[in-house]
Amino acid sequence: MKGVLFDFSGTLFRIESTRSWLRAVLAKAELTLPEPELTRTAQALESAGALAGGASPSLPLPPDLAGVWAVRDESAELHRAAYTGVSRQVPLPDPRLYDALYDRHMVPDAWHPYPDAAEVLGALRERGVSVGVVSNIGWDLRPVFREHGLDPYVGSYVLSYEHGIQKPDPRLFATACDALGVAPEDTLMVGDDRRADGGAAALGCGVHFVDHLPVADRPDGLRPVLDLVG
């Protein structure tokens, strides 16, 4: 393999917990909730799928949001509309909190790299393997990589909202391979979503899946990539 493409959320980074996310937004707004209510609200937001990068909705989507949700990663506007829309299903003490919650998930300190991410990306660079990030997302994740020191290892970023295409569409993977200057058959796609990231196989890329687990529970899930690259 001459190139490796990585997904972002659940692959190289993990978003903070829904409880931490809600608590941070309340603190910034100088609001408090009793602990039992904070716990219930965080659980309701998680069930709604309101935290981008977190759990998928476990409740049926409202009819007026279902169409937006399906294409949410194709633009920044759709992404914000989808996530603020589902969060508004949960009562909050101030209506301004819905946008504040969305804004919080884009802050670099809301994200934590997996323990072996820097090691694996650094090893690939030492071997002369090109590294790219290809993500279904509605905002610019580059500051997250810069803040956590991983940006120097990444040769290109291909983000769905910048192209109006979302995985598993092979065109997004083709764009990512072109950005690296590596043929699809010489490229490995690493991700946690078997449907979205698995779309790279249609282009001829190799595909390797990792488990979307909390950071503490997946200390070395990326290291097998080094063996696959050879």
Side-chain angles (χ1 to χ4, degrees):
M1 294 292 178
K2 298 177 182 178
V4 180
L5 299 173
F6 288 93
D7 174 51
F8 168 54
S9 175
T11 300
L12 291 175
F13 284 84
R14 168 88 177 201
I15 190 68
E16 65 186 334
S17 70
T18 310
R19 185 185 180 89
S20 170
W21 172 59
L22 176 60
R23 190 186 295 278
V25 169
L26 290 171
K28 187 173 182 180
E30 298 183 341
L31 294 171
T32 58
L33 290 176
E35 282 300 310
E37 186 178 351
L38 187 146
T39 298
R40 287 194 298 272
T41 303
Q43 289 172 342
L45 287 166
E46 186 160 328
S47 295
L51 176 55
S56 298
S58 59
L59 302 173
L61 289 167
D64 60 327
L65 275 178
V68 174
W69 188 264
V71 294
R72 65 191 182 279
D73 296 311
E74 292 184 3
S75 76
E77 295 76 17
L78 288 168
H79 197 266
R80 180 179 284 271
Y83 283 101
T84 57
V86 294
S87 71
R88 286 190 173 94
Q89 297 178 91
V90 180
L92 294 176
D94 187 321
R96 293 173 294 182
L97 292 174
Y98 298 108
D99 277 316
L101 283 169
Y102 183 83
D103 293 340
R104 165 68 190 177
H105 101 277
M106 297 185 286
V107 174
D109 67 7
W111 293 88
H112 306 282
Y114 281 94
D116 56 345
E119 172 194 339
V120 170
L121 294 180
L124 291 172
R125 183 178 183 180
E126 289 177 2
R127 296 182 187 184
V129 177
S130 299
V131 171
V133 171
V134 55
S135 176
N136 277 354
I137 199 165
W139 50 277
D140 187 3
L141 52 72
R142 295 171 182 89
V144 177
F145 281 77
R146 289 196 292 268
E147 181 72 20
H148 291 280
L150 298 187
D151 181 65
Y153 304 120
V154 180
S156 67
Y157 297 89
V158 173
L159 311 180
S160 61
Y161 84 102
E162 294 180 337
H163 299 274
I165 306 167
Q166 59 187 31
K167 298 181 289 186
D169 193 319
R171 292 177 295 169
L172 198 65
F173 300 107
T175 299
C177 289
D178 288 345
L180 286 185
V182 179
E185 58 269 24
D186 295 324
T187 303
L188 178 69
M189 175 66 208
V190 181
D192 67 296
D193 188 320
R194 280 162 170 73
R195 177 180 176 274
D197 299 313
L203 194 67
C205 299
V207 179
H208 175 70
F209 297 111
V210 295
D211 294 323
H212 189 157
L213 296 172
V215 166
D217 296 343
R218 210 195 76 193
D220 55 4
L222 292 167
R223 289 197 182 111
V225 171
L226 299 178
D227 295 327
L228 292 169
V229 170

